């Protein structure tokens, strides 16, 4: 197939690497891409958020399938424009993308579908925020209602900090104050064709900047998959996935279809395993980052077949996706100053040496070539991804590879997947 992947991060690089690993050779285009993606796809100078530009390019190049990676093009209606021209696209339309673009909309859908989630109060000013903080109590959870690149949430027992966070986002719209939910978190992806869902393998990511889950929230500093500890609580991964499919994913998809906003694409369920059962923290309308980087390398079935089936409404003809027994760990290398004020433009070296480590590859997130030198261009710069037969093996390989990469002021967590390493 001729496939266009929209986006420029490590998630998109992971999608492209999965497509390239298939037995059938595809012509893969990426817009706008990055320096690493340019090694594995034809990079196109195209505004991924412009519905007209994307549609015209797809028509001109006879693209068979468009895969939308980040959330911004979805909320901009890129998928709608493509579907109007008859171009298969993996990604929800603008109305359905509200599931991520508006926390209030997502809560309403969950309530209507009977999906378990925490209580939430919407506030439009600081007085409303203060009242909601007092009503729900500490720890306080404050979220921007709209898109915030994974950094619009704060969880704190400090009331002043919660108010300050709300004050930052109120100028752009309302905020949600939510009930604090305690328990381990799980990310679970579902392919959806608007009528049926197929689950992928669960992963766990690490949102805090520093070891021990300290520091500010980020877009994600690492992840691992599968989750062996699901065995003790649910009897295994398959049983857990079946439960979430039945109680969460399918009801949401049915509700959205009934409202005339079918969800076609990747439903990302951010879950928390509380003492009262599995509850939804949030939904995203696209592959998660960095979880994609550890889920897709374990996928046995051709990704292109699954994405096309979702885009064309034929998921019912596909079996449940299968995954290898391998463990996968990814660690994010971030720029100095991330997430508040990342310092960019610094050179990156040692990537070839890193990829010499067995079963390791690097997914580029924010890189570019300047005068022949590879430089960091954003906060999260790259992901080192390692596969292994055990988590100890995968972690060891990931950190060995990371030690070979040099970025002045670069930072990364040293405890990714440490808790699941076999004794």
């Amino acid at each position: 197939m001729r496939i266009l992947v929209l986006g420029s991060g490590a998630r998109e690089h992971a999608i492209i690497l999965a497509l390239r690993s298939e037995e059938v050779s595809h012509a893969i285009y990426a817009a706008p891409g990055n320096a690493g993606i340019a090694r594995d796809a034809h990079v196109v100078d195209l505004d991924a958020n412009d519905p007209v530009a994307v549609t015209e390019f797809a028509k001109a190049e006879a693209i068979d399938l468009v895969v939308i990676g980040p959330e911004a093009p979805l909320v901009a209606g890129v998928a709608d424009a493509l579907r109007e021209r008859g171009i298969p696209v993996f990604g929800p339309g603008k109305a359905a993308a509200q599931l991520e673009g508006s926390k209030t909309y997502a809560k309403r859908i969950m309530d209507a579908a009977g999906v378990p989630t925490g209580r939430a109060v919407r506030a439009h000013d600081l007085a409303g925020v203060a009242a909601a903080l007092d009503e729900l109590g500490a720890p306080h959870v404050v979220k921007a209602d709209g898109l915030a690149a994974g950094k619009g949430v704060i969880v704190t027992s400090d009331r002043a900090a919660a108010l300050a966070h709300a004050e930052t986002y109120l100028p752009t719209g309302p905020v949600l104050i939510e009930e604090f939910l305690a328990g381990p978190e799980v990310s679970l992806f579902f392919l959806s064709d608007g009528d049926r869902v197929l689950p992928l393998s669960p992963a766990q990511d690490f949102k805090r900047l520093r070891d021990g889950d300290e520091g500010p929230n980020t877009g994600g500093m690492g992840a691992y998959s599968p989750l062996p500890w699901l065995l003790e609580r649910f009897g295994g991964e398959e049983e857990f996935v079946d439960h979430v499919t039945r109680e969460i994913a399918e009801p949401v998809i049915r509700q959205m279809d009934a409202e005339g906003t079918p969800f076609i694409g990747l439903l990302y369920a951010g879950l928390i395993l509380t003492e009262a059962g599995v509850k939804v923290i949030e939904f995203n309308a696209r592959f998660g980052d960095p979880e994609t980087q550890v889920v897709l390398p374990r996928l046995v079935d051709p990704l292109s077949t699954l994405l096309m089936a979702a885009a064309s409404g034929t998921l019912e003809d596909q079996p449940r996706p299968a995954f290898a027994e391998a463990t996968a760990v990814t660690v994010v290398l971030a720029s100095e100053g991330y997430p508040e004020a990342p310092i960019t433009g610094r050179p990156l070296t040692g990537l070839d040496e890193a990829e010499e480590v067995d079963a390791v590859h690097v997914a580029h997130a924010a890189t570019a070539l300047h005068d022949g030198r590879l430089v960091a261009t954003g906060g999260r710069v790259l992901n080192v991804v390692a596969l292994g037969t055990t988590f100890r093996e995968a972690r060891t390989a990931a950190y060995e590879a990371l030690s070979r990469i040099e970025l002045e002021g670069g930072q990364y967590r040293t405890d990714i997947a440490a808790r699941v390493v076999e004794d």
Side-chain angles (χ1 to χ4, degrees):
M1 288 195 290
R2 296 173 66 80
I3 304 173
L4 170 63
V5 178
L6 299 182
S8 62
R11 163 186 48 222
E12 289 75 35
H13 200 179
I15 292 169
I16 289 166
L17 290 172
L19 294 171
R20 278 180 53 88
S21 71
E22 297 178 12
E23 293 183 3
V24 176
S25 179
H26 304 293
I28 305 174
Y29 298 83
N34 59 43
I37 288 174
R39 299 183 308 176
D40 299 303
H42 306 287
V43 171
V44 180
D45 184 13
L46 181 69
D47 182 357
N49 298 328
D50 184 337
V52 174
V54 172
T55 303
E56 289 181 350
F57 176 84
K59 276 293 186 184
E61 295 296 328
I63 297 296
D64 298 302
L65 174 66
V66 178
V67 182
I68 301 179
E71 59 272 24
L74 298 172
V75 175
V78 171
D80 300 285
L82 290 163
R83 289 195 179 98
E84 287 169 5
R85 297 289 295 274
I87 301 167
V89 53
F90 184 80
K94 184 175 183 178
Q98 289 182 88
L99 199 63
E100 176 171 1
S102 169
K103 303 293 190 297
T104 301
Y105 175 84
K107 288 289 186 182
R108 186 188 66 74
I109 289 290
M110 283 187 271
D111 288 343
V115 168
T117 187
R119 294 172 57 208
V121 177
R122 193 181 196 211
H124 296 267
D125 53 38
L126 274 181
V129 172
L133 293 175
D134 294 337
E135 177 186 348
L136 295 178
H140 306 296
V141 182
V142 182
K143 294 181 179 179
D145 187 47
L147 298 178
K151 299 186 284 290
V153 60
I154 187 173
V155 180
T156 179
S157 294
D158 185 337
R159 189 173 182 276
L163 283 168
H165 183 81
E167 192 170 15
T168 298
Y169 288 96
L170 280 171
T172 60
V175 299
L176 261 67
I177 295 83
E178 296 189 359
E179 171 190 8
F180 175 77
L181 300 174
E185 296 184 21
V186 177
S187 300
L188 185 55
F189 301 160
F190 294 89
L191 305 166
S192 173
D193 63 4
D195 181 56
R196 184 161 188 243
V197 298
L198 286 178
L200 301 186
S201 183
Q204 186 172 68
D205 78 334
F206 295 74
K207 288 295 186 190
R208 298 284 188 168
L209 179 67
R210 292 188 282 274
D211 288 0
D213 292 327
E214 299 290 336
N217 261 359
T218 71
M221 295 299 292
Y224 69 91
S225 181
L227 308 183
W229 46 268
L230 289 173
L231 176 64
E232 180 178 347
R233 184 154 183 178
F234 289 90
E237 177 177 309
E238 185 174 348
E239 290 80 0
F240 171 78
V241 170
D242 286 345
H243 172 83
V244 177
T245 302
R246 182 175 61 251
E247 301 296 327
I248 294 172
E250 289 178 344
V252 164
I253 295 303
R254 285 196 299 266
Q255 181 64 34
M256 296 187 72
D257 190 35
E259 294 189 8
T261 53
F263 189 98
I264 301 167
L266 196 291
L267 176 67
Y268 168 130
L271 309 167
I272 188 160
L273 282 54
T274 74
E275 291 185 357
V278 182
K279 296 189 177 185
V280 177
I281 304 172
E282 65 176 357
F283 285 121
N284 290 331
R286 37 71 190 181
F287 278 107
D289 188 341
E291 299 98 322
T292 301
Q293 290 86 295
V294 291
V295 171
L296 291 188
R298 299 180 51 240
L299 179 65
V300 173
D301 303 293
L303 179 63
S304 62
T305 301
L306 293 168
L307 300 183
M308 180 59 91
S312 56
T314 59
L315 272 184
E316 63 184 16
D317 299 329
Q318 297 298 319
R320 181 162 166 164
F323 289 84
E325 293 288 330
T327 63
V329 174
T330 186
V331 184
V332 172
L333 175 65
S335 295
E336 180 181 357
Y338 177 76
E340 292 90 354
I343 299 173
T344 61
R346 288 175 171 171
L348 273 164
T349 60
L351 272 67
D352 290 340
E353 292 81 356
E355 291 192 316
E356 290 174 357
V357 178
D358 189 44
V360 164
H361 68 269
V362 175
H364 289 235
T367 62
L369 286 173
H370 288 173
D371 298 324
R373 293 195 314 167
L374 187 67
V375 300
T377 59
R380 290 187 297 172
V381 179
L382 55 80
N383 283 208
V384 172
V385 184
L387 298 177
T389 56
T390 66
F391 278 109
R392 184 181 301 279
E393 185 178 296
R395 283 192 83 248
T396 299
Y399 282 108
E400 168 59 29
L402 196 54
S403 73
R404 302 182 182 191
I405 299 174
E406 293 188 10
L407 170 66
E408 181 186 350
Q411 53 181 327
Y412 58 89
R413 285 183 59 158
T414 64
D415 63 346
I416 304 300
R419 296 173 186 168
V420 292
V421 169
E422 299 83 355
D423 293 325

